[in-house]
Amino acid sequence: MAAKKEVTNGVEWRIKVADDSSEILVPEAKPARDVLLGLMFFIEGLAMKVWKFLQQAWELGVDDPRKVVHCLKVGVALTAVSLFYYMRPLYDGVGGSSMWAIMTVVVVFENTVGATLSKSLNRVCGTFLAGFLALGVHWIANQSGETFEPVIVGAAVFLLASAATFSRFIPSVKVRFDYGAMIFILTFSLVSVSGYRVDKLLDMAHQRLSTIIIGTSLCITVSMLVCPIWAGQELRSLITRNMDKLADSLEGCVNEYFQEGGSLVERNKECQKKLQGYKCVLSSKATEESMANFAQWEPAHGRFNFGHPWKQYIKIGASMRSCACCIEALNGCINSENQAPEEFKKHISNISLKVSSNSSSVIRELATTAKSMKKSSNMHCVVGEMNSAVEELRANLKSLPSLFNSPLMSEVEIHENKKIEPASRTMETMPDLLEIIPLVTSASLLIEIATRVNGIVDAVEELADLAEFETASNEKSTKNELSNHFLPDQQKDNETTKDFQPV
Amino acid sequence: MAAKKEVTNGVEWRIKVADDSSEILVPEAKPARDVLLGLMFFIEGLAMKVWKFLQQAWELGVDDPRKVVHCLKVGVALTAVSLFYYMRPLYDGVGGSSMWAIMTVVVVFENTVGATLSKSLNRVCGTFLAGFLALGVHWIANQSGETFEPVIVGAAVFLLASAATFSRFIPSVKVRFDYGAMIFILTFSLVSVSGYRVDKLLDMAHQRLSTIIIGTSLCITVSMLVCPIWAGQELRSLITRNMDKLADSLEGCVNEYFQEGGSLVERNKECQKKLQGYKCVLSSKATEESMANFAQWEPAHGRFNFGHPWKQYIKIGASMRSCACCIEALNGCINSENQAPEEFKKHISNISLKVSSNSSSVIRELATTAKSMKKSSNMHCVVGEMNSAVEELRANLKSLPSLFNSPLMSEVEIHENKKIEPASRTMETMPDLLEIIPLVTSASLLIEIATRVNGIVDAVEELADLAEFETASNEKSTKNELSNHFLPDQQKDNETTKDFQPV
């Protein structure tokens, strides 16, 4: 009631001012109603925003229930680590340092096992290294008397913190040990500076390290045992999903151009989304790289062994992006204003459709290979079909100019274009090349796309050899010989992978 | 010495085994020397690695001295915050909570002002909100008796931590408040769980919040006053640098194709690097987005006012990427095996070079506009030149087929194996379209690139209008009228920007 009165007073005051300046009589009740209305609108707007936010969250959860599971896992881990506070014997064991266990769980628990492992190991190693160094610095500072102690500690903190911060800029450190470097700076500063005030420094350091180890082990256990999300599997499914998208948009793009008589045809939303699939491929570089990085921290799981060549997936992604770039250019070409006459289109329509559908089949076959981790038995077959279709398209393009001078553009002649009378052909009736440029460009880009699809095939075959994919049952034995040639390479790769593993 | 003996024993044992099996006598001294040699090689290899690492670090520092300055800034901030431990009156003020100030500095201090501000505000708001909620939960739990206390607190931690973790998946939260959500979980868990053991909870919460505010203010002060690196300026310079790279690689790519007679000419490394510039454009999406996000947290600085339309830079980046995609396709086309005969090339060589150099000029002019933040006076002029060159290229392409039947063919005959006399030209000798396909495709892609350059021009002009770039002195007044049309849009944009600012 008091609040309402205040509002009314404020309104009265405003009315007075209005009276003074413009002398318009305003009914007393109206502004109060206006204020209430405004407040209602505001609350309504806020409620709408909150509602939309919740709706978005709900859709996200329905879309990928594993995200919800991850949240529950975090909740479980945090509640479990809280036991250190609730249970007297546990609390007596580590005391106030339980805080560090909670902090570790919050900071280290990530969505995928690889990310959690990477952060955990970084945290433990960074803490251990920094604590060790800080104790050394503290001991030296302690020996040099009370006046010099802060100076020595301060200088050490300044130098090591600067150096460690700089190391975070170096790419090789940044990719893998960024978090470790940060934890190093943190622990070193805390321990060496605390040494000035805290007496039992060694006890503190020991307690902190042990609680951090407790926290990280809890995180690792929960993330690996309860519905684990492996970065490696995520990476593979991202790549295969992107392959399917690439195949869909390539096929859709070419179909739309040749079958439906141009790009001006109304597209429905679903179809439009399918056509834009290549854009996902173009923008997934960062995700792929971080996934591959996390996957390297993961132990053997499912059908991935420890030295699985994760970096090869990045190469596959790169070759897919180069292919997607061409599809983007093709899309631009197809949507351009200048369109080739239908007659010319029809001339290469069938073969273009064949090239695009064959290329899509190849990409889908590659997706199946990556999904099943088995060398496809008919890969050579579909690649061969694609390449022969490309050759056919080349041949058709070659015969395209003969269409210009044909007297009757009847369908029969288009298909049997070599039966045109030579007499009708003169120099004066040379074709308007401009008309068929979009068509030639599209066809040429289609050929280029097929070339780049071959690049993806090479990358996936290299993966199959490096990761020793099984050969599908009806496969000829020649392939096994091929994989033996790659063995030295594979060993090298395994060694490189091991080099990067934390010791 | 003991270690050496052990090694020798091991070696002897090995020799014995060897004797048993193969009965070959091995001189006793050799293996010991081998071990020493192996050790030396190992140390040498390690030293080489460290040396390479240091070299890499040195180059990084020389390349961008601001990174070194950033590290020194972190060192200074950390040393400054350590004073809370060294100086008795300061230490007595906040006690053991000084730790939080140090932790804040380590975690919050980022390379750019915007990132530091974003993290600082996230940390302070997250801590405040979570602390407030946790105190409430603690009070409720306290009222409900000793047995229920851990249950209530545990349930609250589980629910809120899960919910906050889930919110981090929602894109709108993830982009801006990810760190805040993490700090929220951390503080809420720590405060509410500590409440079970710590008596003076309010004091602790108060001390922690004040030390965090001290730490963040120190970070913000140092990062803004000592050689500040503004995310906004970085974003702009990234965009302008990418524009220059795009222009260089477009020009270089076309020049190489037409001037030097094909792609098989040996390229030097510098030139090669220039040609690959468009790849930087293709891969800078993530950086642009995070820079634009951080820039929105920054106050007015230099010539950027508070509501600067940072999102427009993302749009410019996207239009540049679509252009770079075409350059990638063009590059593929130029490097393909099928090359057009020199004569045909020469026919459109000059005009193609003109289109590419004009397009590059337009892109460079755009870079100047973005750099100087002044509407260019001759932008219309260069765009007009580019478009007329494109028209000319179209016209030349139109006349390309006439070459097939012209006497020029004699030159072709010298190079090629078509020794056909013009008189004998019948339908069977129709031009081989296949030969000129790469040329036509390149020209067509060049036209498409010019279209997309127009897209960049539109995006930059929109930026100029939104950000109210000054008109260069010799500019006509017509442009001012144009910018007025955009005013409502700009206001809308400003409002959206403000909506995202933390309250």
Side-chain angles (χ1 to χ4, degrees):
Chain A
M1 286 300 282
K4 261 195 176 174
K5 261 192 181 168
E6 262 175 45
V7 170
T8 324
N9 286 344
V11 170
E12 276 176 0
W13 176 79
R14 230 189 328 142
I15 295 165
K16 269 179 192 166
V17 174
D19 279 353
D20 287 344
S21 57
S22 59
E23 291 182 37
I24 295 166
L25 280 167
V26 183
E28 234 176 272
K30 220 177 177 184
R33 218 183 55 195
D34 280 1
V35 169
L36 272 175
L37 267 176
L39 205 72
M40 269 175 66
F41 274 125
F42 174 74
I43 292 172
E44 211 181 298
L46 203 75
M48 275 299 288
K49 268 192 180 173
V50 171
W51 177 244
K52 266 190 184 168
F53 181 81
L54 289 177
Q55 232 173 357
Q56 203 184 355
W58 180 259
E59 276 165 21
L60 202 76
V62 172
D63 207 43
D64 188 2
R66 291 184 311 168
K67 283 181 180 154
V68 181
V69 174
H70 168 69
C71 300
L72 298 180
K73 276 156 74 179
V74 173
V76 167
L78 262 181
T79 316
V81 92
S82 309
L83 290 179
F84 277 91
Y85 273 93
Y86 304 142
M87 296 170 80
R88 173 59 68 181
L90 285 177
Y91 188 75
D92 287 346
V94 291
S97 293
S98 328
M99 191 185 80
W100 291 98
I102 292 187
M103 194 179 279
T104 303
V105 170
V106 174
V107 176
V108 151
F109 211 123
E110 291 278 332
N111 195 15
T112 59
V113 177
T116 308
L117 270 172
S118 147
K119 273 200 152 178
S120 298
L121 291 173
N122 263 307
R123 189 173 179 100
V124 170
C125 295
T127 305
F128 183 76
L129 206 69
F132 195 73
L133 261 175
L135 286 178
V137 168
H138 174 69
W139 183 80
I140 294 173
N142 230 1
Q143 303 290 312
S144 54
E146 214 165 277
T147 33
F148 283 111
E149 195 177 336
V151 178
I152 291 178
V153 172
V157 167
F158 178 82
L159 286 176
L160 271 168
S162 300
T165 306
F166 188 74
S167 80
R168 292 175 70 188
F169 284 119
I170 299 168
S172 54
V173 176
K174 194 185 170 72
V175 175
R176 287 161 174 272
F177 308 114
D178 188 61
Y179 185 65
M182 196 179 84
I183 290 296
F184 177 87
I185 305 170
L186 179 62
T187 311
F188 183 79
S189 314
L190 276 185
V191 175
S192 54
V193 171
S194 301
Y196 194 65
R197 295 284 170 197
V198 180
D199 295 324
K200 293 179 178 173
L201 196 63
L202 209 67
D203 275 9
M204 194 188 86
H206 171 249
Q207 272 193 348
R208 197 160 296 176
L209 190 62
S210 56
T211 41
I212 285 179
I213 289 175
I214 290 170
T216 50
S217 351
L218 186 72
C219 284
I220 294 173
T221 315
V222 173
S223 81
M224 274 170 74
L225 296 186
V226 187
C227 309
I229 300 172
W230 301 96
Q233 276 180 357
E234 292 296 294
L235 174 64
R236 189 187 55 174
S237 74
L238 175 72
I239 291 277
T240 52
R241 228 180 312 132
N242 275 351
M243 279 177 180
D244 287 334
K245 279 181 187 169
L246 203 64
D248 283 347
S249 58
L250 171 60
E251 208 169 34
C253 195
V254 177
N255 273 2
E256 188 199 25
Y257 184 52
F258 285 108
Q259 284 191 332
E260 295 163 30
S263 62
L264 298 173
V265 176
E266 272 283 312
R267 304 166 180 171
N268 61 40
K269 216 176 172 186
E270 183 64 27
C271 178
Q272 182 71 29
K273 205 179 156 192
K274 238 181 177 180
L275 285 181
Q276 302 290 316
Y278 67 89
K279 286 194 178 163
C280 293
V281 181
L282 281 177
S283 63
S284 62
K285 192 185 177 214
T287 319
E288 276 167 23
E289 277 171 4
S290 75
M291 287 284 182
N293 176 30
F294 290 140
Q296 280 171 335
W297 293 86
E298 286 175 352
H301 59 275
R303 292 164 60 201
F304 302 104
N305 47 1
F306 184 67
H308 194 79
W310 296 115
K311 285 190 172 176
Q312 188 61 30
Y313 287 90
I314 297 182
K315 278 191 197 168
I316 296 176
S319 60
M320 277 161 65
R321 266 189 297 284
S322 106
C323 186
C325 246
C326 268
I327 296 182
E328 152 93 27
L330 178 67
N331 216 16
C333 177
I334 282 173
N335 289 324
S336 75
E337 284 168 30
N338 293 325
Q339 288 299 337
E342 283 297 316
E343 291 75 30
F344 293 108
K345 258 191 182 176
K346 273 184 189 154
H347 181 65
I348 61 163
S349 149
N350 280 339
I351 184 64
S352 293
L353 287 171
K354 195 175 167 195
V355 170
S356 88
S357 82
N358 280 359
S359 304
S360 301
S361 313
V362 171
I363 301 176
R364 290 211 183 89
E365 192 69 38
L366 290 174
T368 315
T369 304
K371 247 178 251 167
S372 65
M373 298 185 76
K374 274 185 185 157
K375 283 180 185 171
S376 162
S377 54
N378 59 338
M379 178 59 80
H380 283 290
C381 177
V382 285
V383 171
E385 267 174 30
M386 178 181 77
N387 289 337
S388 68
V390 167
E391 284 312 313
E392 217 175 312
L393 175 59
R394 279 217 177 95
N396 270 32
L397 276 180
K398 209 170 169 175
S399 65
L400 195 59
S402 59
L403 279 184
F404 287 111
N405 297 12
S406 67
L408 300 160
M409 276 298 190
S410 70
E411 288 256 327
V412 187
E413 281 166 347
I414 291 158
H415 290 292
E416 304 164 22
N417 46 50
K418 277 170 190 169
K419 286 176 184 171
I420 303 161
E421 281 178 27
S424 67
R425 193 147 308 187
T426 57
M427 248 216 265
E428 284 69 36
T429 58
M430 268 315 285
D432 184 0
L433 188 66
L434 207 57
E435 274 196 328
I436 58 158
I437 282 182
L439 193 67
V440 170
T441 310
S442 306
S444 173
L445 282 174
L446 208 52
I447 294 171
E448 179 69 26
I449 288 171
T451 316
R452 297 191 180 195
V453 169
N454 275 319
I456 312 180
V457 173
D458 290 345
V460 172
E461 275 185 351
E462 206 181 325
L463 172 75
D465 291 328
L466 288 174
E468 290 174 330
F469 281 5
E470 284 167 29
T471 316
S473 51
N474 52 344
E475 176 71 359
K476 303 281 177 294
S477 62
T478 45
K479 271 227 155 177
N480 284 327
E481 280 176 43
L482 197 75
S483 76
N484 285 335
H485 288 296
F486 279 90
L487 218 61
D489 261 1
Q490 180 210 338
Q491 278 171 349
K492 213 174 72 189
D493 188 87
N494 282 353
E495 273 162 32
T496 348
T497 316
K498 271 170 200 156
D499 267 353
F500 283 112
Q501 295 304 325
V503 186
Chain B
M1 284 302 281
K4 261 193 177 177
K5 261 190 180 168
E6 264 175 43
V7 170
T8 326
N9 288 344
V11 169
E12 277 173 1
W13 174 80
R14 229 188 329 147
I15 295 164
K16 269 180 190 164
V17 174
D19 281 348
D20 288 342
S21 56
S22 59
E23 290 182 41
I24 295 166
L25 278 169
V26 183
E28 228 175 278
K30 218 176 176 182
R33 217 186 53 196
D34 280 0
V35 168
L36 271 176
L37 265 177
L39 205 72
M40 267 175 66
F41 274 125
F42 175 74
I43 291 171
E44 210 180 299
L46 203 74
M48 276 297 288
K49 266 194 181 171
V50 171
W51 176 245
K52 265 191 185 168
F53 181 80
L54 288 178
Q55 233 174 355
Q56 203 184 354
W58 179 261
E59 275 166 23
L60 201 75
V62 171
D63 208 43
D64 188 1
R66 292 183 310 170
K67 280 178 181 156
V68 181
V69 173
H70 168 69
C71 302
L72 298 181
K73 275 156 73 179
V74 173
V76 167
L78 263 180
T79 318
V81 92
S82 309
L83 290 179
F84 278 91
Y85 274 92
Y86 303 141
M87 296 170 81
R88 172 58 67 184
L90 284 178
Y91 187 74
D92 288 346
V94 292
S97 294
S98 330
M99 192 186 81
W100 291 99
I102 292 187
M103 193 179 279
T104 304
V105 170
V106 174
V107 176
V108 152
F109 210 124
E110 290 279 331
N111 196 15
T112 59
V113 177
T116 309
L117 269 172
S118 146
K119 272 198 156 179
S120 297
L121 291 173
N122 263 307
R123 189 173 179 101
V124 171
C125 295
T127 306
F128 182 76
L129 205 68
F132 193 74
L133 261 176
L135 285 179
V137 168
H138 173 67
W139 183 81
I140 293 173
N142 228 3
Q143 302 290 314
S144 54
E146 218 165 272
T147 33
F148 283 111
E149 196 179 335
V151 179
I152 291 178
V153 172
V157 166
F158 179 81
L159 286 177
L160 270 168
S162 300
T165 306
F166 188 74
S167 80
R168 293 175 69 188
F169 284 119
I170 299 168
S172 54
V173 175
K174 193 184 172 75
V175 175
R176 289 158 172 275
F177 307 115
D178 188 61
Y179 185 65
M182 197 180 83
I183 290 296
F184 176 88
I185 306 170
L186 178 61
T187 310
F188 183 79
S189 315
L190 276 185
V191 174
S192 55
V193 172
S194 300
Y196 195 65
R197 294 285 170 198
V198 180
D199 295 325
K200 291 179 180 174
L201 195 64
L202 210 66
D203 275 9
M204 194 189 87
H206 171 247
Q207 272 191 350
R208 194 161 297 175
L209 190 63
S210 56
T211 42
I212 285 179
I213 289 175
I214 290 169
T216 50
S217 351
L218 186 73
C219 285
I220 294 174
T221 314
V222 172
S223 81
M224 275 170 73
L225 296 186
V226 187
C227 309
I229 300 172
W230 301 96
Q233 277 180 356
E234 292 295 294
L235 174 63
R236 190 187 54 176
S237 74
L238 175 72
I239 291 277
T240 53
R241 230 182 309 132
N242 276 351
M243 280 178 180
D244 287 335
K245 281 181 185 167
L246 203 65
D248 282 348
S249 59
L250 171 60
E251 209 170 33
C253 193
V254 177
N255 273 1
E256 190 200 26
Y257 185 53
F258 285 108
Q259 284 191 332
E260 296 163 29
S263 61
L264 298 173
V265 176
E266 274 280 313
R267 302 164 180 175
N268 60 42
K269 215 177 174 185
E270 183 65 28
C271 178
Q272 182 73 30
K273 206 179 156 192
K274 238 183 177 178
L275 284 182
Q276 302 288 317
Y278 68 89
K279 285 192 178 160
C280 294
V281 181
L282 282 177
S283 62
S284 63
K285 192 184 177 214
T287 320
E288 277 167 23
E289 275 171 4
S290 75
M291 286 284 181
N293 176 31
F294 290 141
Q296 279 172 338
W297 294 85
E298 286 175 353
H301 60 276
R303 291 165 60 200
F304 302 105
N305 46 1
F306 184 67
H308 196 79
W310 296 114
K311 285 192 171 172
Q312 188 61 29
Y313 287 90
I314 298 181
K315 279 189 196 167
I316 296 174
S319 60
M320 278 161 66
R321 266 189 297 283
S322 105
C323 186
C325 248
C326 268
I327 297 182
E328 152 93 27
L330 178 67
N331 215 18
C333 174
I334 282 173
N335 289 326
S336 75
E337 283 168 31
N338 293 324
Q339 287 299 336
E342 283 297 315
E343 291 68 36
F344 292 107
K345 256 192 187 178
K346 270 185 194 153
H347 182 65
I348 61 161
S349 151
N350 281 337
I351 184 63
S352 294
L353 287 171
K354 197 175 164 193
V355 169
S356 88
S357 81
N358 280 356
S359 304
S360 301
S361 310
V362 171
I363 300 176
R364 289 208 184 92
E365 192 67 39
L366 289 174
T368 315
T369 303
K371 248 179 250 167
S372 65
M373 299 185 75
K374 275 184 185 157
K375 284 178 184 171
S376 162
S377 54
N378 61 336
M379 178 59 80
H380 283 291
C381 178
V382 286
V383 171
E385 268 174 28
M386 179 182 78
N387 288 337
S388 68
V390 166
E391 283 312 312
E392 219 175 311
L393 175 60
R394 280 218 176 95
N396 271 29
L397 276 179
K398 209 170 170 175
S399 66
L400 195 60
S402 61
L403 275 185
F404 285 113
N405 296 14
S406 71
L408 258 176
M409 205 59 186
S410 56
E411 280 174 54
V412 184
E413 284 162 356
I414 295 162
H415 292 284
E416 303 280 324
N417 45 13
K418 286 181 184 167
K419 290 174 184 167
I420 308 152
E421 280 174 38
S424 71
R425 199 153 298 179
T426 57
M427 206 189 70
E428 284 71 32
T429 63
M430 263 310 285
D432 187 358
L433 188 66
L434 207 56
E435 276 194 331
I436 59 158
I437 281 181
L439 194 67
V440 170
T441 310
S442 305
S444 171
L445 281 174
L446 209 51
I447 294 172
E448 179 72 23
I449 288 171
T451 315
R452 296 193 181 192
V453 168
N454 275 320
I456 311 179
V457 173
D458 290 345
V460 172
E461 277 187 350
E462 204 180 328
L463 171 75
D465 290 328
L466 288 174
E468 290 175 334
F469 281 5
E470 284 168 32
T471 315
S473 51
N474 53 344
E475 175 72 1
K476 302 281 178 295
S477 61
T478 45
K479 270 228 157 174
N480 285 327
E481 280 176 41
L482 197 76
S483 74
N484 285 335
H485 288 297
F486 278 90
L487 218 62
D489 261 2
Q490 178 209 338
Q491 280 171 347
K492 212 174 74 190
D493 188 89
N494 283 354
E495 274 161 31
T496 349
T497 317
K498 273 171 200 158
D499 267 352
F500 282 113
Q501 296 304 325
V503 186

